[in-house]
Amino acid sequence: MNIIYKNQDGGVAVFTPTQEALSTLTLDEIAQRVVPNSVAYWIVDPSAIPSDRTFRDAWELDENEMGEPNGYGGVE
């Protein structure tokens, strides 16, 4: 699974947790640590990420299409 969120420039940030991290933390715990404070994030299947990375700087995240976020960044 991947964690995605809008970065500061309005592009899409994709974070792939390592197996080592997943052995000690849940996806939500990882997301809360890596996603900037108060930024919405979604947990998606890797198949939802385009495999062609040629134009990855142009990727956009439509929050309305994504639905409710899985959570928000920032360790409480």
Side-chain angles (χ1 to χ4, degrees):
M1 300 302 272
N2 293 104
I3 300 163
I4 62 172
Y5 60 94
K6 278 191 179 179
N7 63 26
Q8 292 176 343
D9 301 327
V12 180
V14 179
F15 185 85
T16 305
T18 65
Q19 286 300 321
E20 183 178 357
L22 290 169
S23 70
T24 58
L25 299 168
T26 67
L27 277 169
D28 282 316
E29 290 170 331
I30 294 168
Q32 289 172 2
R33 292 174 186 225
V34 300
V35 176
N37 192 36
S38 300
V39 173
Y41 67 83
W42 291 264
I43 297 173
V44 299
D45 190 88
S47 65
I49 309 298
S51 59
D52 182 357
R53 298 177 55 116
T54 306
F55 299 106
R56 68 178 170 240
D57 289 339
W59 291 352
E60 296 180 357
L61 193 151
D62 183 344
E63 294 181 23
N64 292 326
E65 186 177 305
M66 293 297 299
E68 290 294 317
N70 290 95
Y72 294 86
V75 178
E76 296 182 24

